Amino acid sequence: MTLARTSRSFRAFKILWLGQLLSSIGSPFQSIAISIWFLDTGRGAGALAAVLAAGTVSQLIGTLASGPLVDRRGALRVILYCDVVRCIIASFLVVALLLELDTVAIIALVSVSGIVGGVFLPALRSAPAVLLSEEDRPRGNSMMEVSNSTSMLVGALAGGVTVAVIGPVSAVVFNAASFAIGALCAALMKRRSAVSDTAPPSDSMASLVREGLTFVWRTSWLRTLLFVDATLDLVTAGQLSVGLPAISRHLTGASSLGLMIAGFGAGSLVGALLASRLAKAPILPIRMVYLLQLLAAPFLGVLPLVNLPAAILCLAMAGVLNAIASIQYISIIQRNVDAVMLGRVMALLVAAGLSVQPIGQILCGILIEDGWMRESFAVGTLVMALVCVLGLTRRNLGELA
């Protein structure tokens, strides 16, 4: 690929990134809006929990189906179609909230949205590898991580304010509009990109799934990555989604929870920006990625022991380290997996994390309810450290380029 063509491809990629930045900011608007709407309409925490559980399960189902679709249809095409469908679903959700339809209808819409979201994420993670040159992929991955961090930092804060001031329905309208912008930008990139996003496989979906599973099972370093990544998700899901709200109850309540989440988001944004500045440097080896995760573990483990300013600082430091590690992790996988197989590999990695997150949340919740909050964070840190040491010492990871 010539330098001029590479430059054109990266400029076109920025169009896709801009659309996904806006749609990622809009996503917290919808999740906050639904949570508040359920409570405001008197449906209770039980109904809200059912909706959240349905969303998680449906996202896992969509993720499992995503890999073959991405490898067969192409990452950019899947991103475009997913944003169009998510815009339509969000529009239906606006009507459902306005008419105050029953909980089953809301669960159905959230479940469909979760399935489409599950299909979308592996496509997005695959996009830099199939749309950019190898030289530009780290920069592309850094930009995608900036979108995620901005969503956590800006989207959650702005979504909360919007729901509080204007109402849940308006927040979902904003989310639908953000998906429409994301689809438009994906369509524009499809016309302007100098890199083809073709999908070579013509086999049946079943054959593609079987081929992907066989590839992962026979590739020892991928099996190791799958195990380590799933274990880290198992621990951090409980600490961040269950542990932080529990800690906030002993601080200043909801305001402290928002500040802690914003601290992690700010750290993630800084880490993504640092990684983007280092994008032209050689990709870090996978052992360095696990060293960064090992350094992040104590910052999470001490959260129940410190005051609010210290907790925010610890979460910011963990966010910086995690963001750099995540960007390098994805870049390593993109470099070592052929484009024809990348969608299925990314889907399996995402699915592995999603499948264990509920287990981590339940275990953390049980320990905290029994008065073992400090111990639960200590055990989580120990597990993170042990699994990172495993990653640092596994010889099969030396196969990675």
Side-chain angles (χ1 to χ4, degrees):
M1 184 181 295
T2 67
L3 180 62
R5 188 177 180 186
T6 299
S7 178
R8 288 197 304 272
S9 298
F10 195 79
R11 286 199 300 269
F13 181 80
K14 289 180 179 178
I15 299 174
L16 175 69
W17 173 79
L18 179 61
Q20 295 311 313
L21 173 64
L22 294 174
S23 65
S24 67
I25 290 175
S27 294
F29 279 65
Q30 179 167 306
S31 59
I32 294 172
I34 291 175
S35 299
I36 298 300
W37 184 84
F38 263 85
L39 298 177
D40 285 349
T41 55
R43 305 187 183 214
L48 176 59
V51 171
L52 296 177
T56 301
V57 173
S58 59
Q59 186 178 5
L60 176 59
I61 293 171
T63 300
L64 292 172
S66 175
L69 287 173
V70 173
D71 288 336
R72 188 170 188 174
R73 300 297 181 185
L76 183 56
R77 187 175 299 171
V78 171
I79 290 171
L80 171 60
Y81 292 163
C82 283
D83 273 342
V84 170
V85 174
R86 291 196 296 177
C87 177
I88 295 172
I89 296 170
S91 300
F92 280 124
L93 189 57
V94 169
V95 176
L97 297 185
L98 284 172
L99 298 178
E100 295 192 3
L101 297 183
D102 59 27
T103 301
V104 174
I106 305 298
I107 288 177
L109 288 171
V110 170
S111 296
V112 176
S113 180
I115 291 173
V116 179
V119 173
F120 170 82
L121 184 55
L124 189 65
R125 286 193 175 185
S126 303
V130 297
L131 300 174
L132 295 175
S133 66
E134 185 172 327
E135 178 185 357
D136 284 331
R137 288 173 194 169
R139 278 198 296 167
N141 291 326
S142 297
M143 291 170 67
M144 290 301 185
E145 183 61 31
V146 166
S147 296
N148 294 334
S149 304
T150 303
S151 171
M152 190 181 307
L153 178 61
V154 178
L157 294 175
V161 172
T162 301
V163 172
V165 176
I166 306 177
V169 174
S170 299
V172 180
V173 169
F174 180 89
N175 188 47
S178 73
F179 287 144
I181 295 173
L184 176 62
C185 290
L188 287 173
M189 183 183 173
K190 192 172 180 61
R191 296 181 60 183
R192 297 188 184 187
S193 176
V195 182
S196 61
D197 179 33
T198 56
S202 58
D203 298 335
S204 67
M205 294 292 287
S207 297
L208 292 174
V209 171
R210 185 167 57 251
E211 183 183 6
L213 291 172
T214 302
F215 175 76
V216 172
W217 180 252
R218 291 180 177 176
T219 308
S220 63
W221 63 265
L222 262 179
R223 293 201 308 270
T224 300
L225 293 188
L226 199 69
F227 173 77
V228 175
D229 194 44
T231 305
L232 291 174
D233 277 341
L234 173 72
V235 173
T236 56
Q239 289 179 330
L240 296 179
S241 64
V242 179
L244 286 189
I247 291 173
S248 70
R249 293 169 57 190
H250 299 285
L251 298 172
T252 60
S255 61
S256 61
L257 177 59
L259 289 171
M260 286 190 290
I261 294 174
F264 187 80
S268 299
L269 180 58
V270 171
L273 293 174
L274 286 174
S276 67
R277 298 295 296 269
L278 298 173
K280 291 187 177 297
I283 293 177
L284 298 176
I286 189 65
R287 290 187 175 89
M288 185 61 68
V289 171
Y290 289 139
L291 179 59
L292 291 172
Q293 297 283 15
L294 180 62
L295 294 174
F299 288 109
L300 297 178
V302 300
L303 290 176
L305 307 175
V306 298
N307 58 21
L308 179 58
I312 295 172
L313 179 60
C314 287
L315 283 164
M317 292 300 300
V320 171
L321 295 169
N322 181 70
I324 297 174
S326 297
I327 292 167
Q328 295 295 327
Y329 176 76
I330 293 173
S331 297
I332 288 169
I333 294 173
Q334 291 171 348
R335 174 173 286 189
N336 288 275
V337 176
D338 290 338
V340 295
M341 188 68 64
L342 185 60
R344 280 164 284 179
V345 170
M346 287 296 185
L348 286 171
L349 289 169
V350 174
L354 284 175
S355 62
V356 300
Q357 284 178 17
I359 300 173
Q361 291 165 343
I362 292 171
L363 290 175
C364 189
I366 292 173
L367 290 172
I368 291 174
E369 285 294 328
D370 288 340
W372 298 86
M373 181 162 65
R374 293 182 178 183
E375 290 79 3
S376 69
F377 273 80
V379 170
T381 298
L382 179 61
V383 172
M384 288 181 66
L386 290 175
V387 77
C388 287
V389 169
L390 173 66
L392 288 168
T393 56
R394 288 288 293 179
R395 292 183 178 181
N396 59 357
L397 297 184
E399 303 172 21
L400 298 177

